[in-house]
Structure formats: C-alpha cells, structure tokens
Amino acid sequence: MWTVSHLGGTVRTEDFGHLVSRTPHSVRRAEHPAQVVEAIAFARAAGLPLAPRGAAHSVYGRSQAEGGVVLDVTGIAAVGEVTPDRVTVGAGASWRAVVEATLPAGLAPPVLPDYLDLTVGGTVVVGGVGGTTHRHGLVSDNVLELEVVTGTGDVVVCGPGHPLFDAARGGLGQVGVVTSVTLALAPAPPQARRYVVEYRTLEDMVADSRALLAENRWDYLQGAVLPTPDGWRPVLEGAALVTGTHQDVIEGLNGVVEITTMSHRELLSRLEPLEAALRELGQWDNPHPWLTTFVPDAAVEDVVGKILDRTPPEDLGKFGRVVVSPIAEGAVRTPLVRVPEGHHHAVNVLRFPGADPDEAERLVAVNRELYEVVVRAGGTLYPVSALPLSAAEWAAHYGDAMAGFAAARAEFDPDGILTPGYEVFR
Ligand SMILES: Cc1cc2nc3c(=O)[nH]c(=O)nc-3n(C[C@H](O)[C@H](O)[C@H](O)COP(=O)(O)OP(=O)(O)OC[C@H]3O[C@@H](n4cnc5c(N)ncnc54)[C@H](O)[C@@H]3O)c2cc1C
C-alpha cells in the first residue's frame, strides 16, 4: 500500500540517536521501487529534499529531512530465492529476515552487522562493520549487485565496474535510493565456539588481537574496553564457526579465556540480551551520542588511551563500551568508506548515558575532541557517528575520492535532493 501523510509542520521525526529531530513536509511509505520513483518525482517537482528511511538506527538525524519528504523503504522487504552463492533482497529487509531465510540452507552473508534489526539498504550505504570484518571487510564489500533509483528517478541495476555501484556503497544515500541488494552467501556452519578473553591491560589485549589477526585463527574477532566497578576491563570477543567436533585454538593468549558453545543463530543474535536489558531499564530510548572511527594500528594504544582518559565510566553508562576491533590491511575495499592504510582498528565510543539532553549535547562536543585526536593520529571517521562535519571536513574526509564522489552526485542527483541528513553536499 502507498501511504502519504502530510504533516502540516506538526509532527517531528526522530531516530535511535534522539539527538536530532526534524519536521518533514510529509512521510511516505514505499512497498515497490515504482513508488520510490514516484516519490522522487514528487520531491523534485516540489523542490523538496528526500530522505530514505530504513530502520532509523542512525544516531544524528541522517534519515530525516527538515521540510522534506521522508521515504520509509521498509515495505520493500522481500527476500528472494536462496541459491548456493547469493540472495537478492529488498533494501528495506532486516538482516534478521535475511538470516532467517539463509541459515536453514546452511548459508549466510560473509559479513553481518552485530545488530540484526538494521535494514540491508541502510547498512550498505554506510558500509557495515561486523564480527568478521577483520577478515572479510564490510557488508558493502560483499554485495554483488544493487538496484538503485537515482535522484533523476532512473532505475539502474549496477554491479562491479559501474560508477553508481561504487558511489552507492558507502555513499551515505547521496546518489540514489537503494531498492534491492544481491548479497554474496558463504557456508554457515551450524555451531559456534564463542571466546571471551579478559585482559589486565589494553596493551595485552591489542597484542593478542594482532596475533590472532596475523594467524587468521578466529572466524569472528572483535575487542572492547568495558567499564567495571574495578576500572577498565579490556576483552577480546571472538568465535570459531564449527561443524561437529572442534579443536579450540586458544594457546598463547595473555588473558583469561571463557568458551561457550552456541548455535550460529545465537552468535548472530548476541546483542539481544543487551537490548532486552536496556529496554527493561528504559534506557533503549535515551540519547546515543556515539562516535565511530578507524585508527591505524601504530596509533591504536595511544588513541584508545586518550579516549579512556577523556571518558569517565559514567559517560559510557553501565552497558557502554569502547570498541577496539582489528581489521586486516586490504579487507575494506568499498572506495567511499575511508580507512587508514595498513592494518587498522574500528575504534567506537558506544555510550548508553542517561536521558538528559544537555548531557547528550555535551557528549557530542566530546566526540569532536576525540575525533580530532583520531584524525591527528591518521585515523578516519565511520560516518554513522553523532558528529556534525563542515563541508571542508567532509572534503578532507574523502580526500582524493571527493572529486569522483561529487561527480557521481552531480550525475545521479543533479538537483541535490537526496539524503540531506549527512550534509555532505550542502
Ligand atoms: C543498536 C545499533 C547497532 C548497530 N550496529 C552496527 C554494526 O554492527 N555495524 C555497523 O556498521 N553499524 C552499526 N550500527 C550503525 C548502523 O549501521 C547505521 O546507523 C545504519 O545506517 C542504520 O541502518 P538503518 O536501516 O537503521 O538506516 P537508517 O538509519 O534508516 O538510514 C541510515 C542512512 O541511510 C539512508 N538510507 C536508508 N535506507 C536507504 C536506502 N535504501 N537507500 C539509500 N539510502 C538509505 C538514510 O537516509 C540515512 O542517511 C548500529 C546502530 C545501532 C543503533
């Protein structure tokens, strides 16, 4: 069904961040690409910006449009036939729907985000970091084909070598509304051996993450520093996907290892207990002033040390964490997702603070300080952050990719109506 609600300036939209709230002109829901074409034609004719909206798990107004059209694409959610190497899904499908279809066939995308209730389209346009990124790159590196409705209303099917394919993946919705995504699939063993390794120091944790990465030992490999009543606790969290009996490869690690056997499905749903706890405490709907970055390997201990020095545990909240996850050189291949050269780390400050909006604003200001620490160390931003950037900062962020990105924007969205929330092209 095709629904349009004209809001007359009375309804504001929100997102998971609860930091930015915009009043759109209207909200539309599309259940078919033709309705995306129609919405874009309407917005162009009316001279309005248009923001596609997936699961709205952005944290800084990225899927909102002040005075514009918000286009809910979660109705375009069909999951197609699962074949041994691929599945084509509507961009509004959740990752949960994808794995519900593929796991029974013993298959899964090589990279999935940690949280399954994001949409496929909303993830592909930012990149998508997950537990296997250290080895297989981003979600967007494992996409075979896209169907995109451009800002001119053209429906384009594109794959590797097509300029729209490279501008849409990681392109923050600046060149088109993704309507369909063909995902690569790989064998998905039924069981997982999950490893949680606790460390006394960040240095020990990072040393082991380097070794595990170099030896390519674990299928899943992520790390974090957690706030505890006794101070910071660095942990590595990983897994081996297994069929039948399995020899754990944990010798030589410098921390205390806890091993759990679980189903592959449970491994993929590992954030569910956190979500349930936050919902129970009424904290799921609090502001989320998150900062997400990539830091070169040589600087990671120094940068994370500075982040921890600037982060009293109460700023993170009981369930917050500073993610420090290694990524192999060359794993990230999506041109518009900017990462440092060589082996690097996803370094994310994931805060679950209280409900106070002034406190949330203060933490967005802290994000700027920490971002500058990251950039001075040769790091880059993962743009899903709660951090406004100026036009000059976006240009610096994209560096030698900026000219090509701007040319793609001019070609595929000449009126500049799409996805104003990222403010890349003002
Ligand atoms: C609890 C939680 C867990 C998360 N876990 C991860 C994680 O593990 N890995 C990771 O990389 N990120 C993670 N994120 C960040 C998340 O990937 C991004 O914020 C993502 O963009 C959200 O997807 P969404 O479906 O909610 O999209 P939305 O927030 O609705 O949209 C995101 C952006 O993409 C645009 N957009 C949405 N759909 C389309 C489309 N079909 N075509 C073009 N543009 C579109 C929107 O306009 C907006 O600018 C997490 C966020 C939260 C809140």
Side-chain angles (χ1 to χ4, degrees):
M1 203 176 74
W2 175 230
T3 54
V4 183
S5 51
H6 292 281
L7 303 174
T10 55
V11 176
R12 298 172 76 77
T13 50
E14 289 259 340
D15 56 34
F16 184 82
H18 300 292
L19 294 160
V20 172
S21 177
R22 310 258 185 242
T23 305
H25 165 274
S26 53
V27 178
R28 292 173 173 234
R29 178 172 158 83
E31 296 184 353
H32 190 277
Q35 294 166 332
V36 176
V37 174
E38 201 181 313
I40 287 176
F42 167 78
R44 279 189 98 189
L48 298 176
L50 181 145
R53 179 178 169 107
H57 277 76
S58 297
V59 296
Y60 209 68
R62 310 312 194 176
S63 53
Q64 302 181 38
E66 181 70 37
V69 178
V70 171
L71 181 62
D72 175 354
V73 296
T74 55
I76 307 176
V79 176
E81 185 193 354
V82 175
T83 71
D85 71 340
R86 65 190 60 204
V87 63
T88 298
V89 305
S94 69
W95 292 103
R96 186 176 302 283
V98 172
V99 299
E100 287 301 329
T102 65
L103 282 182
L107 297 164
V111 183
L112 286 157
D114 297 339
Y115 184 66
L116 295 180
D117 291 319
L118 311 172
T119 64
V120 172
T123 310
V124 167
V125 299
V126 298
V129 179
T132 58
T133 289
H134 67 291
R135 187 186 276 176
H136 297 299
L138 304 172
V139 167
S140 54
D141 292 316
N142 294 279
V143 168
L144 302 175
E145 193 172 84
L146 295 175
E147 180 186 81
V148 181
V149 182
T150 67
T152 53
D154 295 303
V155 182
V156 180
V157 175
C158 54
H162 195 298
L164 186 57
F165 188 66
D166 281 347
R169 292 176 307 136
L172 308 179
Q174 302 299 303
V175 292
V177 178
V178 178
T179 45
S180 161
V181 181
T182 300
L183 299 161
L185 293 177
Q191 298 288 320
R193 295 281 282 169
R194 174 124 171 97
Y195 309 120
V196 177
V197 193
E198 290 190 11
Y199 293 90
R200 282 190 302 109
T201 68
L202 173 69
E203 288 70 21
D204 283 351
M205 185 269 260
V206 172
D208 273 2
S209 86
R210 285 189 183 113
L212 287 165
L213 187 73
E215 295 161 17
N216 202 14
R217 270 203 226 171
W218 291 353
D219 297 310
Y220 275 67
L221 176 58
Q222 295 174 295
V225 183
L226 311 178
T228 77
D230 304 324
W232 297 116
R233 187 176 66 207
V235 294
L236 283 180
E237 298 168 330
L241 299 173
V242 299
T243 306
T245 54
H246 172 74
Q247 184 65 47
D248 293 312
V249 188
I250 53 168
E251 64 274 3
L253 297 179
N254 289 309
V256 180
V257 188
E258 181 191 306
I259 305 177
T260 321
T261 299
M262 56 180 62
S263 69
H264 195 151
R265 187 186 303 267
E266 285 171 305
L267 177 70
L268 298 182
S269 305
R270 62 196 178 281
L271 288 195
E272 280 176 13
L274 170 69
E275 178 175 352
L278 286 164
R279 284 191 187 280
E280 176 138 1
L281 291 168
Q283 292 184 8
W284 186 250
D285 295 326
N286 283 353
H288 297 102
W290 291 0
L291 179 71
T292 51
T293 70
F294 299 104
V295 173
D297 182 52
V300 71
E301 290 98 334
D302 182 50
V303 168
V304 174
K306 286 177 174 148
I307 290 174
L308 296 179
D309 286 347
R310 188 67 184 83
T311 306
E314 56 272 21
D315 279 8
L316 285 183
K318 183 176 166 194
F319 296 104
R321 54 175 48 202
V322 177
V323 169
V324 189
S325 297
I327 302 175
E329 177 172 16
V332 173
R333 305 172 306 282
T334 300
L336 286 179
V337 179
R338 311 303 287 172
V339 295
E341 282 181 12
H343 164 194
H344 49 277
H345 301 254
V347 173
N348 304 329
V349 185
L350 304 184
R351 303 187 184 94
F352 292 93
D356 180 359
D358 294 338
E359 184 61 4
E361 266 317 303
R362 180 184 71 77
L363 293 170
V364 171
V366 174
N367 281 351
R368 165 139 302 269
E369 280 177 45
L370 300 181
Y371 166 68
E372 286 169 8
V373 168
V374 167
V375 169
R376 273 198 298 277
T380 56
L381 188 73
Y382 184 39
V384 302
S385 300
L387 180 73
L389 291 192
S390 68
E393 285 173 324
W394 279 118
H397 170 76
Y398 285 108
D400 59 10
M402 188 65 194
F405 193 16
R409 168 79 163 189
E411 179 179 354
F412 298 114
D413 182 20
D415 293 349
I417 62 167
L418 291 175
T419 316
Y422 270 104
E423 302 183 320
V424 179
F425 301 102
R426 285 181 170 82

